[in-house]
Amino acid sequence: MNTKPWAKLFTPLLLTGTALLLSACDFVGEKVGEKVEQKIEQTVPKATAAQNEQAAKLYQALSQKNYALIEQTASPELLAEFKKSPNTLPFMATQIPAGNAPNAPTLLAIQKGSNTHYGSMLSITYQYVYPVQVVNFTVVYDGTEGSTTLKGLNLNVQVNPNSPAPAPEATPSASAPTQQAI
């Protein structure tokens, strides 16, 4: 095989250049990845210890029908909503299962957003698991960093999928008397 003299020189240079280019891409990719992670860390909302503590107190107050505590922390807009619909808090309280709430709820979601009427908001959803039901309790705070001004509450109660199945009802035997409506 007859190789041109310039090819002997060009091939190593081409391979070296390609290797340098790939390592530069790796370096740039790592730096871009770090910047993206930093941006995500900055933009992902977090709940403060004060917000988590207040949410637990609000849930307990709702379960104990202590609406005054809820109203003390409510924004003027939320207070107006409570006055417009005075049965809202009592209805929500009836949805909470009887018995003591589990000690430590699970933090399900944190979301930051804004609304034309309420402005900037931070929504934090906690899950309380009872033997037969699961309660998702969402507390909406003013969106200002670390604010504990209450802008909204939401309660969603569902059947606990991990609860034991109810015992099957006994089927009536042939000798058991039956009832018939007349």
Side-chain angles (χ1 to χ4, degrees):
M1 174 171 175
N2 191 1
T3 309
K4 306 260 188 222
W6 60 269
K8 287 182 181 179
L9 179 64
F10 183 70
T11 303
L13 285 175
L14 180 63
L15 293 175
T16 304
T18 303
L20 286 173
L21 185 59
L22 289 174
S23 64
C25 286
D26 253 357
F27 177 76
V28 170
E30 285 177 22
K31 290 298 179 190
V32 168
E34 288 173 13
K35 293 282 185 191
V36 168
E37 286 177 19
Q38 288 172 353
K39 277 290 187 196
I40 290 172
E41 188 67 30
Q42 291 170 355
T43 58
V44 172
K46 291 181 177 51
T48 65
Q51 289 169 329
N52 288 330
E53 184 179 315
Q54 182 172 346
K57 287 178 182 177
L58 291 170
Y59 186 80
Q60 183 179 22
L62 189 60
S63 68
Q64 295 173 352
K65 300 176 173 81
N66 180 3
Y67 310 129
L69 178 68
I70 296 168
E71 291 169 349
Q72 288 172 1
T73 60
S75 68
E77 300 90 358
L78 185 58
L79 280 175
E81 293 291 328
F82 289 155
K83 286 180 182 168
K84 201 178 348 177
S85 303
N87 293 330
T88 300
L89 290 175
F91 176 76
M92 289 175 76
T94 65
Q95 302 304 303
I96 295 177
N100 290 335
N103 290 339
T106 303
L107 180 67
L108 284 186
I110 300 176
Q111 190 173 10
K112 196 163 188 167
S114 63
N115 178 292
T116 55
H117 181 66
Y118 292 106
S120 176
M121 297 179 292
L122 180 69
S123 172
I124 308 171
T125 302
Y126 303 89
Q127 186 173 71
Y128 292 86
V129 179
Y130 291 84
V132 179
Q133 293 171 306
V134 173
V135 178
N136 292 335
F137 180 62
T138 303
V139 180
V140 182
Y141 293 113
D142 177 75
T144 309
E145 186 75 28
S147 174
T148 55
T149 301
L150 186 63
K151 286 200 169 191
L153 291 174
N154 186 15
L155 195 68
N156 182 326
V157 181
Q158 302 168 2
V159 173
N160 184 345
N162 298 322
S163 66
E169 292 183 26
T171 55
S173 65
S175 62
T178 58
Q179 296 180 1
Q180 184 174 6
I182 301 178

